[in-house]
Amino acid sequence: MRRILQALRREGVLGINQRNSRYTLRWNPRRLYPLVDDKLKTKELCQAAGIPTPRLLAVAREHFELRGLRARLDGEERFVLKPSRGAMGNGILIVRGRRGDGFIRSGGKSLTTQDLLYHAAGIISGMYALGGQPDSAMVEELLEVHPTLVEITQDGVPDVRVIVYRGIPVMAMVRLPTLASGGRANLHQGAVGVGVDLVSGLATHAVCYNRPIRRHPDSRVPLLGRPFPDFERVVRIALRAADQVGLGYVGADVVVDARYGPVILELNARPGLAVQLANRAGLRPRLTAVDDTWRPDRPFEERITLAREIASSGKLA
Amino acid sequence: MNRPAQIVGAILIAFGLTVFVWKSFMLDLPLQPSDPEGLWGVEFLVKVRGGTGQGSIRVPLPSTEPGQVVFDERSISDRLRFTIRSEHGQRIGVWSGTLRGSHEIAHGFRVQLAPEHTRLSAGEEEEEEPARGGDDPLKASTVELPSEAPEIAELLSRVSLPSEREPADRARILFAYVNDEIATIETGSEDALLTLASREGSPDGKVRLLATLLRAAGIPARPVLGIRLTPGALPQILPWVEARVDGEWVSMSPTDGFFGARPKDLLVLRRGSLEMVEATGASAVAHRVNALRERLRPEELAAMMVPPNRTLAEISLYRLPVGTQAALRALLLLPLGALVVAFARNVLGIPTFGTFMPILIAFTLRETSLTIGLAMVVGVLALGVAGRVLLDRLHLLLVPRLSILLCIVVLAVTTLALFGREVDSTDLFAGVLFPIVILTMLVERFSITLAEEGLREALIRAGWSVLVAVGVYPIFRSPLAEHLMFGYPELLFVIMGLLVLIGAYTGYRLADLLRFRSFAQENEDA
């Protein structure tokens, strides 16, 4: 135990208590939370700033709108039904195609229209929302996995979590769905986290269930050392989205779509700490470096450069 | 940790502890829910065979004095008239009347023994102080204590005594002489002079001899009759001597060997005489002393818990109606549970269903027992999950569906209560009805976790919640914790202070260490 404690202190690993008290509580004002907790609001915000997001197909805010939802989905084959204010990927239903009158879920199970509307009704009732308050069901176009990621992706869409602190991207991790995670990109459900170097865009380390790995647990494809597609643009739109929302400590989830390139999936005001495991590096030195060099009103490009410097010096230390 | 929080936490803790310590030590309020130290129920039983008609039985009764508090007296007079008389400051219980056949009389009381805080000072004894001069009755020669007998004078001349100006040393030497040179024989003489002559005597004889010698040496002295109350042993009637040395009463026993302060297991019955039961007009008298260790009854404890200070007494919770008290007792335990949960979550990093769910579960356990309570938690969970699976097919909306679950749980509890009546365990359900319904909330969280994060995650979190609850349970059941929180509500400030400190704790959680342990392994590999 003592040895672990010393190692964590040496690496500057951020613990939950410290993240809460020193970063999220301090830099993320409560009034801004709705902007990121409600994916519809995030989407509006991004669209207004010209930041690409997945195409919104339909929204049902009230139960009576469900009928309209049904009509709107006519002819759509590949889409995602999700709660606007869900947390941790809860309540997300992925449809990959149609089968007769109904749909095919990701994983191959079929789903009647009735089931789909029931799920949407559950969403509107607040079943998956953070505090159980009424929610909106939103349907987005299903994103397509980038070809270079197909072989390390199992049934789902990988995304990149970029941690942005006070206007500087500090760390990033690719989250790969696995069979164990059921197509979700949640690390605690068994998804793989791959640390990506902010400078080179190369995968440095990988982790699954908090344990370091070298290969994808399902396909056994080696993970380390591979370049991540369009990584520079990923970091840029993550930073732009973070700038828009105004939170000081934010995790931006970016998906690189095969057709559209990087799009913002959602933002998170309380990003998890697993990114440190995936990068085998603590966040503290980088966050401190941002605090030490912080100046107001830095131009965008200067901040990107600074992010690279901090990331590389952090690696040296 | 940030400084302001540390300071605020320290102030809260210091404030709460200060009030607590002040109340418990300065105002002498009991710290234990029932002070088990030195509380006794004592009973004198006297059997009298009647003789010639009129008669009386006299028994010395103990009084409240420093070192002992006597209360709750009651007596059985068995056809006789019972009165309490005071003779020279000594209370005597007198049963009088026509003695016919056999009478069984009894006098019972409860006594709280405590170490003597203050020895009697000369000033306090003023009323007993005789007119200055040689007429001190405590120095006088009597039939019982013949301090002017030639044998006594002869002995005093043989023992080389220090000067009269050092009475403490004189007393000590005389005590040592009787203690060491005179043997104790239970059946020995009870007379002072006979004891001296034969160099052996009964405890009474030795006590009388010592008192006689002390008086002859110019030290006021008197025999004392008392009872030794020791846990696990029969009560023992014990005589000893009190001598006034330099204005202070010193207790000494030439049979038990103590000299100085009176041992705290001794109850003083009477002073100046060693007679236990005196009877007139009776043909036969037998007596016995029974003693039993006792605990304070709740209302007595409550009386003791009301501070003597008037302002404080005014705000003492013990003055509230009993029903309110019971509710408050439970309520005041909740912060303790919250403290444990806060520690488990923020320092250990244990995942639970919400913050208060473990407290609620612990509360349910408190009202029943650990096994029954846990069975109920599991039962409610199983029922809720089963009900949910069934309701899932009906495609109902969330709020009505959860309400139906609530109905099912209430229905099940009601049915159980009916069966409970059959098997005569109604009290089982008395306090548990409400908590168990609250547990339905647990079902909601459990089933959502089950649906969304799988059985494993749901079971892990439910397991931790129950485990934390089981950790809180002993606190909720502890009479000590209840007594402390209710008697000393200022401890809430201490809890708040601790919570401030936990809230300001920014170090790693135990779970962080486990989760990030690969950081330590990496360096090992390298």
Side-chain angles (χ1 to χ4, degrees):
Chain A
M1 240 357 122
R2 202 184 169 74
R3 203 166 44 87
I4 300 174
L5 187 65
Q6 282 165 351
L8 294 197
R9 290 223 174 103
R10 193 174 51 238
E11 298 282 334
V13 172
L14 189 62
I16 289 190
N17 288 336
Q18 202 165 36
R19 178 201 70 180
N20 291 346
S21 73
R22 203 164 292 180
Y23 299 103
T24 52
L25 267 177
R26 175 147 177 223
W27 295 107
N28 294 352
R30 241 1 280 183
R31 66 186 160 81
L32 294 180
Y33 273 46
L35 293 182
V36 293
D37 286 344
D38 188 335
K39 294 186 186 65
L40 282 170
K41 285 199 176 133
T42 313
K43 192 183 275 291
E44 279 167 24
L45 203 70
C46 286
Q47 278 170 347
I51 303 166
T53 58
R55 195 157 58 91
L56 187 66
L57 299 178
V59 179
R61 290 190 169 82
E62 305 288 344
H63 287 283
F64 69 84
E65 290 179 304
L66 285 174
R67 217 186 294 175
L69 186 74
R70 179 182 207 157
R72 181 64 190 81
L73 289 179
D74 244 15
E76 293 292 342
E77 294 209 343
R78 299 163 63 76
F79 57 86
V80 183
L81 170 63
K82 61 182 178 188
S84 174
R85 297 199 288 190
M88 300 196 301
N90 291 349
I92 295 180
L93 188 77
I94 299 167
V95 172
R96 293 207 174 284
R98 300 202 80 120
R99 182 177 290 155
D101 216 16
F103 304 91
I104 305 168
R105 288 184 65 169
S106 84
K109 282 188 196 159
S110 54
L111 185 81
T112 65
T113 313
Q114 201 57 42
D115 289 335
L116 187 88
L117 292 179
Y118 176 59
H119 188 84
I123 290 174
I124 294 171
S125 302
M127 180 118 205
Y128 310 102
L130 282 167
Q133 325 95 312
D135 198 1
S136 309
M138 56 192 280
V139 181
E140 280 179 346
E141 178 184 27
L142 183 63
L143 293 168
E144 266 177 39
V145 181
H146 194 274
T148 60
L149 295 175
V150 169
E151 61 172 345
I152 53 170
T153 300
Q154 208 75 29
D155 189 38
V157 181
D159 65 7
V160 191
R161 160 71 55 89
V162 183
I163 306 288
V164 182
Y165 178 56
R166 299 180 76 187
I168 314 285
V170 287
M171 207 177 264
M173 146 178 88
V174 176
R175 303 187 297 179
L176 305 171
T178 59
L179 287 178
S181 78
R184 291 189 219 172
N186 269 324
L187 259 61
H188 77 270
Q189 287 167 344
V192 170
V194 182
V196 182
D197 183 22
L198 279 178
V199 183
S200 62
L202 298 178
T204 55
H205 302 276
V207 70
C208 184
Y209 280 126
N210 295 342
R211 254 177 247 117
I213 55 167
R214 290 169 175 281
R215 295 166 176 275
H216 194 279
D218 301 326
S219 61
R220 312 302 303 159
V221 176
L223 293 168
L224 305 189
R226 50 166 68 234
F228 195 81
D230 248 349
F231 193 67
E232 173 139 18
R233 276 174 66 204
V234 167
V235 175
R236 279 166 185 275
I237 80 158
L239 180 52
R240 282 172 65 197
D243 282 352
Q244 279 305 312
V245 77
L247 292 169
Y249 184 81
V250 62
D253 293 350
V254 186
V255 172
V256 183
D257 185 77
R259 300 153 294 178
Y260 313 120
V263 294
I264 289 285
L265 199 61
E266 60 177 295
L267 299 177
N268 200 317
R270 315 165 195 80
L273 299 170
V275 65
Q276 304 178 101
L277 275 170
N279 281 278
R280 290 225 162 183
L283 275 166
R284 282 302 304 280
R286 303 191 186 189
L287 300 176
T288 312
V290 171
D291 284 331
D292 289 346
T293 57
W294 196 81
R295 274 188 292 115
D297 304 323
R298 268 204 173 116
F300 189 85
E301 288 304 324
E302 198 183 316
R303 287 188 278 144
I304 293 283
T305 317
L306 184 61
R308 288 158 167 265
E309 277 169 21
I310 287 174
S312 50
S313 68
K315 211 165 49 177
L316 290 173
Chain B
M1 281 213 189
N2 62 65
R3 259 216 172 267
Q6 270 175 320
I7 292 170
V8 169
I11 289 174
L12 283 170
I13 292 174
F15 172 72
L17 279 184
T18 309
V19 178
F20 170 70
V21 168
W22 178 66
K23 269 172 74 176
S24 60
F25 286 94
M26 303 308 282
L27 302 181
D28 225 15
L29 303 185
L31 280 179
Q32 294 280 330
S34 62
D35 189 358
E37 277 288 303
L39 180 66
W40 291 86
V42 183
E43 197 175 34
F44 299 150
L45 291 165
V46 184
K47 258 189 188 175
V48 195
R49 178 81 34 93
T52 52
Q54 289 293 318
S56 71
I57 299 102
R58 297 155 54 86
V59 175
L61 304 181
S63 316
T64 294
E65 60 173 272
Q68 64 189 39
V69 181
V70 179
F71 55 103
D72 237 7
E73 292 184 277
R74 63 214 173 272
S75 50
I76 297 168
S77 43
D78 196 7
R79 291 167 286 149
L80 299 175
R81 198 169 64 247
F82 174 65
T83 51
I84 295 182
R85 277 184 213 161
S86 187
E87 297 176 3
H88 311 298
Q90 173 66 47
R91 295 197 314 146
I92 308 277
V94 181
W95 286 264
S96 54
T98 313
L99 300 181
R100 199 175 290 131
S102 132
H103 294 261
E104 280 189 38
I105 57 178
H107 184 77
F109 57 90
R110 306 209 299 156
V111 60
Q112 172 71 57
L113 295 178
E116 247 179 311
H117 281 308
T118 47
R119 293 209 213 141
L120 298 181
S121 70
E124 280 178 79
E125 284 284 286
E126 223 158 357
E127 36 199 302
E128 276 189 46
E129 198 84 44
R132 310 230 169 237
D135 273 13
D136 188 341
L138 292 179
K139 286 185 186 170
S141 177
T142 63
V143 180
E144 195 185 353
L145 310 171
S147 58
E148 280 164 9
E151 300 98 308
I152 299 293
E154 193 259 331
L155 176 72
L156 285 187
S157 64
R158 257 194 307 122
V159 183
S160 53
L161 284 178
S163 83
E164 287 208 25
R165 274 185 290 174
E166 287 167 84
D169 289 343
R170 286 172 88 100
R172 201 177 294 275
I173 284 173
L174 291 173
F175 165 74
Y177 175 80
V178 179
N179 193 42
D180 301 342
E181 307 289 330
I182 313 283
T184 310
I185 312 258
E186 286 299 328
T187 54
S189 170
E190 300 197 342
D191 180 75
L193 296 178
L194 287 176
T195 300
L196 178 61
S198 57
R199 303 276 148 157
E200 60 177 42
S202 69
D204 282 9
K206 285 181 73 173
V207 161
R208 285 190 180 113
L209 174 60
L210 179 56
T212 309
L213 286 171
L214 286 166
R215 285 186 180 193
I219 300 167
R222 61 192 177 196
V224 180
L225 183 68
I227 303 177
R228 162 159 282 160
L229 298 167
T230 333
L234 290 172
Q236 179 200 357
I237 293 184
L238 191 79
W240 68 91
V241 178
E242 279 181 355
R244 195 164 61 216
V245 178
D246 291 339
E248 280 182 9
W249 284 104
V250 177
S251 299
M252 59 190 87
S253 162
T255 55
D256 201 57
F258 63 81
F259 184 96
R262 163 158 52 100
K264 62 175 182 181
D265 55 355
L266 286 183
L267 164 72
V268 177
L269 268 186
R270 84 185 301 177
R271 291 196 165 88
S273 163
L274 296 181
E275 275 325 308
M276 179 70 196
V277 177
E278 298 157 280
T280 55
S283 60
V285 178
H287 71 269
R288 204 173 72 218
V289 179
N290 288 335
L292 210 67
R293 276 190 77 175
E294 286 201 357
R295 289 178 173 274
L296 284 178
R297 289 197 284 268
E299 67 272 17
E300 288 162 354
L301 184 69
M304 289 176 79
M305 283 303 293
V306 176
N309 179 311
R310 184 177 298 178
T311 330
L312 278 175
E314 211 50 53
I315 58 169
S316 170
L317 295 179
Y318 284 95
R319 295 171 65 100
L320 294 173
V322 179
T324 319
Q325 280 194 30
L328 267 182
R329 278 174 183 276
L331 202 63
L332 278 163
L333 281 174
L334 290 182
L336 270 179
L339 183 66
V340 174
V341 174
F343 183 82
R345 283 177 65 106
N346 278 38
V347 178
L348 302 181
I350 292 174
T352 58
F353 286 125
T355 313
F356 297 115
M357 198 54 82
I359 302 179
L360 278 176
I361 299 174
F363 219 71
T364 314
L365 300 184
R366 175 181 188 260
E367 301 295 338
T368 56
S369 69
L370 197 57
T371 33
I372 294 175
L374 283 179
M376 280 182 170
V377 170
V378 172
V380 169
L381 269 185
L383 202 69
V385 172
R388 204 201 121 100
V389 168
L390 291 175
L391 289 175
D392 240 9
R393 303 202 180 150
L394 298 180
H395 288 195
L396 302 179
L397 298 178
L398 180 76
V399 176
R401 189 172 59 194
L402 283 172
S403 309
I404 294 174
L405 278 186
L406 180 73
C407 293
I408 294 178
V409 171
V410 170
L411 193 66
V413 171
T414 313
T415 318
L416 269 172
L418 273 175
F419 279 108
R421 193 190 57 184
E422 292 295 314
V423 296
D424 195 32
S425 57
T426 22
D427 53 329
L428 185 73
F429 290 93
V432 83
L433 293 174
F434 194 56
I436 206 168
V437 172
I438 291 174
L439 278 183
T440 317
M441 283 167 52
L442 182 65
V443 176
E444 178 188 350
R445 286 181 174 267
F446 184 84
S447 58
I448 289 177
T449 314
L450 180 70
E452 281 312 308
E453 301 186 37
L455 184 64
R456 189 169 161 270
E457 188 66 28
L459 283 179
I460 286 175
R461 248 184 259 178
W464 279 117
S465 301
V466 170
L467 217 66
V468 173
V470 170
V472 172
Y473 166 79
I475 299 175
F476 278 6
R477 282 295 280 248
S478 151
L480 178 65
E482 194 180 304
H483 169 78
L484 283 180
M485 289 311 295
F486 190 75
Y488 303 90
E490 62 272 13
L491 289 176
L492 276 179
F493 289 102
V494 177
I495 294 180
M496 280 196 276
L498 289 173
L499 284 170
V500 168
L501 292 187
I502 292 179
Y505 172 71
T506 53
Y508 296 111
R509 298 175 180 181
L510 190 62
D512 284 344
L513 295 188
L514 296 177
R515 182 180 176 200
F516 293 119
R517 63 184 177 276
S518 60
F519 275 98
Q521 285 153 10
E522 182 185 40
N523 289 344
E524 235 173 30
D525 297 346

